[in-house]
Amino acid sequence: MSPVAERLRMFPLGTVIFPYSGVPLRVFEPRYQALLDDVLSEECSFGSVLIERGFEVGGGDVRSPIGTRLRVLAHQDLSDGHRAIVVAGVERIRVLEWLEDAPHPWAMVERFDDPTEDISDLRGEVCSRLERMLAMASELGADTADVDLEVGDDPVAVSYQLASLIPVTPLDSYVLLGAAGPRERMRRAIEMLDDQIELIRLQLGGS
């Protein structure tokens, strides 16, 4: 069955949020405050995509076509008038058409499912590299104590959860988000982690 297109509120960001991950956000721009009010009152989801060029504030940005459906897990009003929220990535989506910004962006989107693939041979490679990278980063003084490598069993969820732990640029994270499936995502993750490990090794003096 083909995915069904729907009109969805959108919150473009300068970062990538992966499905099956939780992320804190700070909402301060009036149009996204309005989006949050509507989402909370209707108890509905909204979408987010990466801003490829431009800025989160003011509009005029260039937005990526692949993103993530989000749900609000928690929210708090702050003393400065901003809002603190925690969102959960629900599923990957693809933007079919951008609509009006009234007052915030809207788009026609469809669900963008991953194929179910066996990644048992790649999961261990990614986890071992993440463990090595975290250990090396801690030698540089990074606080890695709260990084949790415990993930579930579903290969699609695991591929996103592990991808969310890799400290790369937003554009690299977007490459991981847009991968054709879990196996490609894990292979790209291995390449990125190898690059990170080599960079840290050089910072540690090439040992």
Side-chain angles (χ1 to χ4, degrees), residues 4-51:
V4 177
E6 65 175 294
R7 185 171 178 263
L8 190 66
R9 296 176 176 87
M10 301 296 292
F11 191 165
L13 292 167
T15 188
V16 169
I17 300 177
F18 289 97
Y20 304 97
S21 65
V23 177
L25 296 175
R26 192 179 182 95
V27 183
F28 56 88
E29 200 174 352
R31 57 180 175 163
Y32 295 123
Q33 296 261 20
L35 178 150
L36 181 59
D37 287 338
D38 291 343
V39 165
L40 293 175
S41 64
E42 298 178 22
E43 298 183 352
C44 61
S45 61
F46 64 103
S48 180
V49 295
L50 175 67
I51 296 173

mmCIF file of all heavy atoms in Angstrom, residues 4-51:
data_model
loop_
_atom_site.group_PDB
_atom_site.id
_atom_site.type_symbol
_atom_site.label_atom_id
_atom_site.label_comp_id
_atom_site.label_asym_id
_atom_site.label_seq_id
_atom_site.Cartn_x
_atom_site.Cartn_y
_atom_site.Cartn_z
ATOM 1 N N VAL A 4 0.188 7.475 2.434
ATOM 2 C CA VAL A 4 -0.854 8.479 2.236
ATOM 3 C C VAL A 4 -0.270 9.861 2.515
ATOM 4 O O VAL A 4 0.351 10.091 3.549
ATOM 5 C CB VAL A 4 -2.053 8.210 3.170
ATOM 6 C CG1 VAL A 4 -3.102 9.299 3.003
ATOM 7 C CG2 VAL A 4 -2.646 6.841 2.869
ATOM 8 N N ALA A 5 -0.469 10.784 1.581
ATOM 9 C CA ALA A 5 0.014 12.147 1.772
ATOM 10 C C ALA A 5 -0.880 12.875 2.762
ATOM 11 O O ALA A 5 -2.093 12.658 2.809
ATOM 12 C CB ALA A 5 0.046 12.888 0.446
ATOM 13 N N GLU A 6 -0.273 13.744 3.559
ATOM 14 C CA GLU A 6 -1.036 14.540 4.514
ATOM 15 C C GLU A 6 -0.396 15.911 4.673
ATOM 16 O O GLU A 6 0.797 16.106 4.422
ATOM 17 C CB GLU A 6 -1.097 13.847 5.879
ATOM 18 C CG GLU A 6 0.255 13.719 6.557
ATOM 19 C CD GLU A 6 0.148 13.144 7.957
ATOM 20 O OE1 GLU A 6 -0.440 13.818 8.836
ATOM 21 O OE2 GLU A 6 0.672 12.034 8.163
ATOM 22 N N ARG A 7 -1.206 16.858 5.094
ATOM 23 C CA ARG A 7 -0.730 18.211 5.385
ATOM 24 C C ARG A 7 -0.233 18.239 6.821
ATOM 25 O O ARG A 7 -0.948 17.845 7.741
ATOM 26 C CB ARG A 7 -1.875 19.203 5.181
ATOM 27 C CG ARG A 7 -1.516 20.666 5.321
ATOM 28 C CD ARG A 7 -2.710 21.509 4.861
ATOM 29 N NE ARG A 7 -2.465 22.936 5.001
ATOM 30 C CZ ARG A 7 -2.878 23.673 6.032
ATOM 31 N NH1 ARG A 7 -3.567 23.096 7.014
ATOM 32 N NH2 ARG A 7 -2.625 24.978 6.079
ATOM 33 N N LEU A 8 0.993 18.710 7.004
ATOM 34 C CA LEU A 8 1.619 18.628 8.329
ATOM 35 C C LEU A 8 2.329 19.929 8.672
ATOM 36 O O LEU A 8 2.997 20.537 7.820
ATOM 37 C CB LEU A 8 2.627 17.469 8.337
ATOM 38 C CG LEU A 8 3.223 17.061 9.691
ATOM 39 C CD1 LEU A 8 2.139 16.481 10.605
ATOM 40 C CD2 LEU A 8 4.350 16.041 9.487
ATOM 41 N N ARG A 9 2.190 20.346 9.921
ATOM 42 C CA ARG A 9 2.960 21.487 10.417
ATOM 43 C C ARG A 9 4.439 21.114 10.421
ATOM 44 O O ARG A 9 4.801 19.992 10.782
ATOM 45 C CB ARG A 9 2.534 21.859 11.842
ATOM 46 C CG ARG A 9 1.097 22.350 11.956
ATOM 47 C CD ARG A 9 0.738 22.588 13.409
ATOM 48 N NE ARG A 9 -0.591 23.150 13.555
ATOM 49 C CZ ARG A 9 -1.701 22.438 13.631
ATOM 50 N NH1 ARG A 9 -1.649 21.096 13.580
ATOM 51 N NH2 ARG A 9 -2.880 23.030 13.754
ATOM 52 N N MET A 10 5.308 22.077 10.079
ATOM 53 C CA MET A 10 6.733 21.783 9.964
ATOM 54 C C MET A 10 7.566 22.774 10.773
ATOM 55 O O MET A 10 7.257 23.959 10.855
ATOM 56 C CB MET A 10 7.169 21.824 8.498
ATOM 57 C CG MET A 10 6.436 20.836 7.594
ATOM 58 S SD MET A 10 6.739 19.102 8.021
ATOM 59 C CE MET A 10 8.481 18.952 7.584
ATOM 60 N N PHE A 11 8.633 22.251 11.351
ATOM 61 C CA PHE A 11 9.569 23.044 12.157
ATOM 62 C C PHE A 11 10.975 22.771 11.621
ATOM 63 O O PHE A 11 11.683 21.902 12.117
ATOM 64 C CB PHE A 11 9.449 22.615 13.623
ATOM 65 C CG PHE A 11 10.147 23.518 14.612
ATOM 66 C CD1 PHE A 11 9.850 23.413 15.964
ATOM 67 C CD2 PHE A 11 11.085 24.456 14.221
ATOM 68 C CE1 PHE A 11 10.478 24.226 16.911
ATOM 69 C CE2 PHE A 11 11.721 25.278 15.139
ATOM 70 C CZ PHE A 11 11.413 25.158 16.492
ATOM 71 N N PRO A 12 11.416 23.484 10.574
ATOM 72 C CA PRO A 12 12.777 23.294 10.067
ATOM 73 C C PRO A 12 13.811 23.687 11.112
ATOM 74 O O PRO A 12 13.639 24.675 11.838
ATOM 75 C CB PRO A 12 12.835 24.229 8.853
ATOM 76 C CG PRO A 12 11.402 24.467 8.483
ATOM 77 C CD PRO A 12 10.658 24.466 9.782
ATOM 78 N N LEU A 13 14.891 22.922 11.185
ATOM 79 C CA LEU A 13 15.917 23.144 12.194
ATOM 80 C C LEU A 13 17.312 23.068 11.571
ATOM 81 O O LEU A 13 17.485 22.519 10.482
ATOM 82 C CB LEU A 13 15.818 22.083 13.303
ATOM 83 C CG LEU A 13 14.595 22.135 14.211
ATOM 84 C CD1 LEU A 13 14.496 20.850 15.032
ATOM 85 C CD2 LEU A 13 14.666 23.348 15.137
ATOM 86 N N GLY A 14 18.285 23.551 12.297
ATOM 87 C CA GLY A 14 19.673 23.455 11.861
ATOM 88 C C GLY A 14 20.321 22.158 12.286
ATOM 89 O O GLY A 14 21.557 22.034 12.236
ATOM 90 N N THR A 15 19.529 21.203 12.696
ATOM 91 C CA THR A 15 20.043 19.901 13.120
ATOM 92 C C THR A 15 19.079 18.817 12.651
ATOM 93 O O THR A 15 17.941 19.107 12.283
ATOM 94 C CB THR A 15 20.201 19.851 14.651
ATOM 95 O OG1 THR A 15 20.874 18.663 15.022
ATOM 96 C CG2 THR A 15 18.849 19.902 15.340
ATOM 97 N N VAL A 16 19.545 17.582 12.676
ATOM 98 C CA VAL A 16 18.729 16.440 12.278
ATOM 99 C C VAL A 16 18.227 15.730 13.530
ATOM 100 O O VAL A 16 18.991 15.483 14.461
ATOM 101 C CB VAL A 16 19.546 15.450 11.421
ATOM 102 C CG1 VAL A 16 18.798 14.133 11.227
ATOM 103 C CG2 VAL A 16 19.873 16.079 10.073
ATOM 104 N N ILE A 17 16.940 15.417 13.547
ATOM 105 C CA ILE A 17 16.370 14.598 14.607
ATOM 106 C C ILE A 17 16.013 13.248 13.996
ATOM 107 O O ILE A 17 15.286 13.184 12.995
ATOM 108 C CB ILE A 17 15.131 15.259 15.227
ATOM 109 C CG1 ILE A 17 15.505 16.624 15.818
ATOM 110 C CG2 ILE A 17 14.526 14.351 16.305
ATOM 111 C CD1 ILE A 17 14.321 17.388 16.388
ATOM 112 N N PHE A 18 16.526 12.181 14.580
ATOM 113 C CA PHE A 18 16.298 10.844 14.040
ATOM 114 C C PHE A 18 15.030 10.225 14.630
ATOM 115 O O PHE A 18 14.691 10.475 15.794
ATOM 116 C CB PHE A 18 17.480 9.930 14.361
ATOM 117 C CG PHE A 18 18.734 10.249 13.602
ATOM 118 C CD1 PHE A 18 19.733 11.022 14.174
ATOM 119 C CD2 PHE A 18 18.926 9.755 12.320
ATOM 120 C CE1 PHE A 18 20.899 11.318 13.480
ATOM 121 C CE2 PHE A 18 20.091 10.035 11.618
ATOM 122 C CZ PHE A 18 21.075 10.822 12.194
ATOM 123 N N PRO A 19 14.360 9.386 13.864
ATOM 124 C CA PRO A 19 13.307 8.561 14.469
ATOM 125 C C PRO A 19 13.882 7.723 15.609
ATOM 126 O O PRO A 19 15.078 7.420 15.625
ATOM 127 C CB PRO A 19 12.850 7.672 13.305
ATOM 128 C CG PRO A 19 13.212 8.437 12.067
ATOM 129 C CD PRO A 19 14.488 9.156 12.418
ATOM 130 N N TYR A 20 13.039 7.377 16.557
ATOM 131 C CA TYR A 20 13.407 6.544 17.704
ATOM 132 C C TYR A 20 14.440 7.220 18.607
ATOM 133 O O TYR A 20 15.192 6.544 19.302
ATOM 134 C CB TYR A 20 13.942 5.175 17.242
ATOM 135 C CG TYR A 20 12.986 4.415 16.363
ATOM 136 C CD1 TYR A 20 13.106 4.455 14.977
ATOM 137 C CD2 TYR A 20 11.945 3.669 16.907
ATOM 138 C CE1 TYR A 20 12.213 3.771 14.155
ATOM 139 C CE2 TYR A 20 11.055 2.978 16.102
ATOM 140 C CZ TYR A 20 11.195 3.043 14.723
ATOM 141 O OH TYR A 20 10.319 2.363 13.920
ATOM 142 N N SER A 21 14.461 8.544 18.614
ATOM 143 C CA SER A 21 15.362 9.264 19.507
ATOM 144 C C SER A 21 14.595 10.398 20.173
ATOM 145 O O SER A 21 13.610 10.899 19.630
ATOM 146 C CB SER A 21 16.573 9.818 18.745
ATOM 147 O OG SER A 21 16.174 10.807 17.808
ATOM 148 N N GLY A 22 15.048 10.795 21.357
ATOM 149 C CA GLY A 22 14.455 11.915 22.074
ATOM 150 C C GLY A 22 15.428 13.078 22.115
ATOM 151 O O GLY A 22 16.627 12.881 22.341
ATOM 152 N N VAL A 23 14.920 14.295 21.879
ATOM 153 C CA VAL A 23 15.783 15.473 21.762
ATOM 154 C C VAL A 23 15.131 16.661 22.467
ATOM 155 O O VAL A 23 13.937 16.911 22.275
ATOM 156 C CB VAL A 23 16.026 15.833 20.281
ATOM 157 C CG1 VAL A 23 16.860 17.101 20.156
ATOM 158 C CG2 VAL A 23 16.701 14.682 19.553
ATOM 159 N N PRO A 24 15.892 17.422 23.276
ATOM 160 C CA PRO A 24 15.355 18.659 23.845
ATOM 161 C C PRO A 24 15.469 19.804 22.837
ATOM 162 O O PRO A 24 16.450 19.899 22.091
ATOM 163 C CB PRO A 24 16.264 18.899 25.055
ATOM 164 C CG PRO A 24 17.577 18.281 24.666
ATOM 165 C CD PRO A 24 17.241 17.099 23.789
ATOM 166 N N LEU A 25 14.476 20.667 22.806
ATOM 167 C CA LEU A 25 14.485 21.837 21.933
ATOM 168 C C LEU A 25 14.064 23.065 22.730
ATOM 169 O O LEU A 25 13.336 22.953 23.716
ATOM 170 C CB LEU A 25 13.528 21.661 20.751
ATOM 171 C CG LEU A 25 13.813 20.547 19.742
ATOM 172 C CD1 LEU A 25 12.681 20.470 18.737
ATOM 173 C CD2 LEU A 25 15.140 20.780 19.039
ATOM 174 N N ARG A 26 14.503 24.221 22.254
ATOM 175 C CA ARG A 26 14.082 25.492 22.843
ATOM 176 C C ARG A 26 13.313 26.251 21.777
ATOM 177 O O ARG A 26 13.822 26.472 20.676
ATOM 178 C CB ARG A 26 15.305 26.282 23.311
ATOM 179 C CG ARG A 26 14.998 27.481 24.196
ATOM 180 C CD ARG A 26 16.295 28.155 24.612
ATOM 181 N NE ARG A 26 16.096 29.273 25.492
ATOM 182 C CZ ARG A 26 16.157 29.222 26.811
ATOM 183 N NH1 ARG A 26 16.419 28.064 27.404
ATOM 184 N NH2 ARG A 26 15.978 30.296 27.554
ATOM 185 N N VAL A 27 12.083 26.637 22.092
ATOM 186 C CA VAL A 27 11.213 27.304 21.122
ATOM 187 C C VAL A 27 11.069 28.766 21.541
ATOM 188 O O VAL A 27 10.613 29.053 22.646
ATOM 189 C CB VAL A 27 9.824 26.630 21.071
ATOM 190 C CG1 VAL A 27 8.958 27.286 20.015
ATOM 191 C CG2 VAL A 27 9.970 25.138 20.796
ATOM 192 N N PHE A 28 11.457 29.673 20.624
ATOM 193 C CA PHE A 28 11.405 31.091 20.996
ATOM 194 C C PHE A 28 10.811 31.963 19.906
ATOM 195 O O PHE A 28 10.261 33.026 20.188
ATOM 196 C CB PHE A 28 12.808 31.602 21.352
ATOM 197 C CG PHE A 28 13.839 31.398 20.277
ATOM 198 C CD1 PHE A 28 14.035 32.343 19.291
ATOM 199 C CD2 PHE A 28 14.612 30.241 20.254
ATOM 200 C CE1 PHE A 28 14.984 32.152 18.300
ATOM 201 C CE2 PHE A 28 15.555 30.039 19.263
ATOM 202 C CZ PHE A 28 15.739 30.990 18.275
ATOM 203 N N GLU A 29 10.915 31.565 18.644
ATOM 204 C CA GLU A 29 10.380 32.386 17.570
ATOM 205 C C GLU A 29 8.843 32.344 17.616
ATOM 206 O O GLU A 29 8.256 31.272 17.796
ATOM 207 C CB GLU A 29 10.885 31.883 16.219
ATOM 208 C CG GLU A 29 10.798 32.911 15.120
ATOM 209 C CD GLU A 29 11.438 32.444 13.818
ATOM 210 O OE1 GLU A 29 12.085 31.390 13.806
ATOM 211 O OE2 GLU A 29 11.254 33.153 12.820
ATOM 212 N N PRO A 30 8.165 33.495 17.477
ATOM 213 C CA PRO A 30 6.705 33.529 17.630
ATOM 214 C C PRO A 30 5.962 32.525 16.755
ATOM 215 O O PRO A 30 4.979 31.919 17.199
ATOM 216 C CB PRO A 30 6.355 34.974 17.252
ATOM 217 C CG PRO A 30 7.571 35.761 17.626
ATOM 218 C CD PRO A 30 8.734 34.861 17.327
ATOM 219 N N ARG A 31 6.400 32.325 15.516
ATOM 220 C CA ARG A 31 5.655 31.407 14.648
ATOM 221 C C ARG A 31 5.747 29.963 15.130
ATOM 222 O O ARG A 31 4.809 29.183 14.971
ATOM 223 C CB ARG A 31 6.150 31.514 13.203
ATOM 224 C CG ARG A 31 7.631 31.246 13.002
ATOM 225 C CD ARG A 31 7.986 31.389 11.543
ATOM 226 N NE ARG A 31 9.423 31.243 11.332
ATOM 227 C CZ ARG A 31 9.966 31.002 10.147
ATOM 228 N NH1 ARG A 31 9.190 30.869 9.084
ATOM 229 N NH2 ARG A 31 11.276 30.897 10.016
ATOM 230 N N TYR A 32 6.857 29.615 15.775
ATOM 231 C CA TYR A 32 6.973 28.249 16.287
ATOM 232 C C TYR A 32 6.363 28.110 17.680
ATOM 233 O O TYR A 32 5.997 27.022 18.092
ATOM 234 C CB TYR A 32 8.429 27.801 16.237
ATOM 235 C CG TYR A 32 8.918 27.707 14.807
ATOM 236 C CD1 TYR A 32 10.013 28.426 14.371
ATOM 237 C CD2 TYR A 32 8.227 26.924 13.873
ATOM 238 C CE1 TYR A 32 10.427 28.367 13.053
ATOM 239 C CE2 TYR A 32 8.631 26.864 12.554
ATOM 240 C CZ TYR A 32 9.727 27.582 12.142
ATOM 241 O OH TYR A 32 10.122 27.521 10.828
ATOM 242 N N GLN A 33 6.252 29.239 18.379
ATOM 243 C CA GLN A 33 5.444 29.230 19.599
ATOM 244 C C GLN A 33 3.988 28.928 19.232
ATOM 245 O O GLN A 33 3.295 28.157 19.922
ATOM 246 C CB GLN A 33 5.526 30.596 20.296
ATOM 247 C CG GLN A 33 6.907 30.984 20.796
ATOM 248 C CD GLN A 33 7.083 30.715 22.282
ATOM 249 O OE1 GLN A 33 6.347 29.934 22.869
ATOM 250 N NE2 GLN A 33 8.078 31.353 22.878
ATOM 251 N N ALA A 34 3.519 29.529 18.115
ATOM 252 C CA ALA A 34 2.154 29.273 17.663
ATOM 253 C C ALA A 34 1.993 27.819 17.236
ATOM 254 O O ALA A 34 0.970 27.184 17.511
ATOM 255 C CB ALA A 34 1.805 30.213 16.499
ATOM 256 N N LEU A 35 2.994 27.275 16.551
ATOM 257 C CA LEU A 35 2.964 25.861 16.163
ATOM 258 C C LEU A 35 2.838 24.986 17.402
ATOM 259 O O LEU A 35 2.016 24.052 17.438
ATOM 260 C CB LEU A 35 4.234 25.501 15.381
ATOM 261 C CG LEU A 35 4.399 24.050 14.922
ATOM 262 C CD1 LEU A 35 5.212 23.985 13.628
ATOM 263 C CD2 LEU A 35 5.092 23.177 15.969
ATOM 264 N N LEU A 36 3.641 25.277 18.417
ATOM 265 C CA LEU A 36 3.608 24.471 19.636
ATOM 266 C C LEU A 36 2.255 24.555 20.324
ATOM 267 O O LEU A 36 1.720 23.534 20.793
ATOM 268 C CB LEU A 36 4.725 24.914 20.585
ATOM 269 C CG LEU A 36 4.832 24.149 21.898
ATOM 270 C CD1 LEU A 36 5.065 22.663 21.649
ATOM 271 C CD2 LEU A 36 5.951 24.729 22.766
ATOM 272 N N ASP A 37 1.675 25.754 20.375
ATOM 273 C CA ASP A 37 0.342 25.892 20.980
ATOM 274 C C ASP A 37 -0.679 25.008 20.270
ATOM 275 O O ASP A 37 -1.481 24.317 20.912
ATOM 276 C CB ASP A 37 -0.112 27.356 20.915
ATOM 277 C CG ASP A 37 0.632 28.249 21.893
ATOM 278 O OD1 ASP A 37 1.173 27.712 22.885
ATOM 279 O OD2 ASP A 37 0.694 29.469 21.654
ATOM 280 N N ASP A 38 -0.625 25.008 18.940
ATOM 281 C CA ASP A 38 -1.577 24.194 18.175
ATOM 282 C C ASP A 38 -1.335 22.709 18.381
ATOM 283 O O ASP A 38 -2.283 21.926 18.542
ATOM 284 C CB ASP A 38 -1.482 24.535 16.684
ATOM 285 C CG ASP A 38 -1.989 25.925 16.355
ATOM 286 O OD1 ASP A 38 -2.700 26.506 17.203
ATOM 287 O OD2 ASP A 38 -1.668 26.442 15.276
ATOM 288 N N VAL A 39 -0.073 22.317 18.376
ATOM 289 C CA VAL A 39 0.266 20.902 18.554
ATOM 290 C C VAL A 39 -0.197 20.398 19.919
ATOM 291 O O VAL A 39 -0.753 19.304 20.045
ATOM 292 C CB VAL A 39 1.788 20.693 18.377
ATOM 293 C CG1 VAL A 39 2.215 19.326 18.907
ATOM 294 C CG2 VAL A 39 2.173 20.834 16.906
ATOM 295 N N LEU A 40 0.013 21.218 20.947
ATOM 296 C CA LEU A 40 -0.381 20.807 22.295
ATOM 297 C C LEU A 40 -1.903 20.776 22.443
ATOM 298 O O LEU A 40 -2.450 19.862 23.071
ATOM 299 C CB LEU A 40 0.240 21.746 23.328
ATOM 300 C CG LEU A 40 1.766 21.685 23.460
ATOM 301 C CD1 LEU A 40 2.261 22.756 24.435
ATOM 302 C CD2 LEU A 40 2.226 20.309 23.921
ATOM 303 N N SER A 41 -2.578 21.753 21.864
ATOM 304 C CA SER A 41 -4.035 21.804 22.015
ATOM 305 C C SER A 41 -4.716 20.678 21.241
ATOM 306 O O SER A 41 -5.744 20.150 21.675
ATOM 307 C CB SER A 41 -4.573 23.162 21.553
ATOM 308 O OG SER A 41 -4.350 23.349 20.170
ATOM 309 N N GLU A 42 -4.135 20.286 20.110
ATOM 310 C CA GLU A 42 -4.732 19.236 19.285
ATOM 311 C C GLU A 42 -4.140 17.857 19.563
ATOM 312 O O GLU A 42 -4.595 16.859 19.003
ATOM 313 C CB GLU A 42 -4.560 19.582 17.805
ATOM 314 C CG GLU A 42 -5.253 20.867 17.387
ATOM 315 C CD GLU A 42 -5.031 21.204 15.919
ATOM 316 O OE1 GLU A 42 -4.724 20.269 15.145
ATOM 317 O OE2 GLU A 42 -5.149 22.389 15.554
ATOM 318 N N GLU A 43 -3.089 17.828 20.409
ATOM 319 C CA GLU A 43 -2.404 16.572 20.725
ATOM 320 C C GLU A 43 -1.983 15.839 19.448
ATOM 321 O O GLU A 43 -2.242 14.647 19.269
ATOM 322 C CB GLU A 43 -3.278 15.667 21.598
ATOM 323 C CG GLU A 43 -3.617 16.280 22.945
ATOM 324 C CD GLU A 43 -4.414 15.328 23.821
ATOM 325 O OE1 GLU A 43 -4.834 14.263 23.339
ATOM 326 O OE2 GLU A 43 -4.610 15.661 25.007
ATOM 327 N N CYS A 44 -1.356 16.581 18.548
ATOM 328 C CA CYS A 44 -0.982 16.025 17.252
ATOM 329 C C CYS A 44 0.535 16.077 17.065
ATOM 330 O O CYS A 44 1.263 16.635 17.878
ATOM 331 C CB CYS A 44 -1.680 16.781 16.125
ATOM 332 S SG CYS A 44 -1.255 18.535 16.042
ATOM 333 N N SER A 45 0.986 15.496 15.986
ATOM 334 C CA SER A 45 2.406 15.481 15.663
ATOM 335 C C SER A 45 2.742 16.647 14.736
ATOM 336 O O SER A 45 1.860 17.336 14.212
ATOM 337 C CB SER A 45 2.784 14.157 14.992
ATOM 338 O OG SER A 45 2.058 13.990 13.784
ATOM 339 N N PHE A 46 4.035 16.855 14.522
ATOM 340 C CA PHE A 46 4.508 17.823 13.536
ATOM 341 C C PHE A 46 5.799 17.277 12.944
ATOM 342 O O PHE A 46 6.308 16.241 13.382
ATOM 343 C CB PHE A 46 4.706 19.211 14.157
ATOM 344 C CG PHE A 46 5.766 19.295 15.225
ATOM 345 C CD1 PHE A 46 7.008 19.835 14.943
ATOM 346 C CD2 PHE A 46 5.518 18.843 16.520
ATOM 347 C CE1 PHE A 46 7.993 19.921 15.926
ATOM 348 C CE2 PHE A 46 6.495 18.930 17.500
ATOM 349 C CZ PHE A 46 7.721 19.465 17.209
ATOM 350 N N GLY A 47 6.302 17.934 11.916
ATOM 351 C CA GLY A 47 7.494 17.431 11.248
ATOM 352 C C GLY A 47 8.675 18.372 11.390
ATOM 353 O O GLY A 47 8.510 19.560 11.671
ATOM 354 N N SER A 48 9.855 17.818 11.186
ATOM 355 C CA SER A 48 11.061 18.633 11.162
ATOM 356 C C SER A 48 11.967 18.154 10.041
ATOM 357 O O SER A 48 12.070 16.948 9.782
ATOM 358 C CB SER A 48 11.807 18.546 12.500
ATOM 359 O OG SER A 48 12.984 19.346 12.466
ATOM 360 N N VAL A 49 12.606 19.103 9.370
ATOM 361 C CA VAL A 49 13.603 18.800 8.353
ATOM 362 C C VAL A 49 14.834 19.650 8.621
ATOM 363 O O VAL A 49 14.775 20.649 9.344
ATOM 364 C CB VAL A 49 13.083 19.081 6.924
ATOM 365 C CG1 VAL A 49 11.936 18.156 6.557
ATOM 366 C CG2 VAL A 49 12.677 20.541 6.770
ATOM 367 N N LEU A 50 15.939 19.254 8.026
ATOM 368 C CA LEU A 50 17.183 20.013 8.162
ATOM 369 C C LEU A 50 17.161 21.231 7.250
ATOM 370 O O LEU A 50 16.766 21.140 6.084
ATOM 371 C CB LEU A 50 18.373 19.121 7.809
ATOM 372 C CG LEU A 50 19.752 19.806 7.794
ATOM 373 C CD1 LEU A 50 20.155 20.232 9.198
ATOM 374 C CD2 LEU A 50 20.790 18.890 7.175
ATOM 375 N N ILE A 51 17.583 22.361 7.777
ATOM 376 C CA ILE A 51 17.826 23.543 6.955
ATOM 377 C C ILE A 51 19.193 23.379 6.307
ATOM 378 O O ILE A 51 20.223 23.374 6.989
ATOM 379 C CB ILE A 51 17.781 24.826 7.802
ATOM 380 C CG1 ILE A 51 16.378 25.023 8.393
ATOM 381 C CG2 ILE A 51 18.179 26.036 6.966
ATOM 382 C CD1 ILE A 51 16.292 26.181 9.373
#
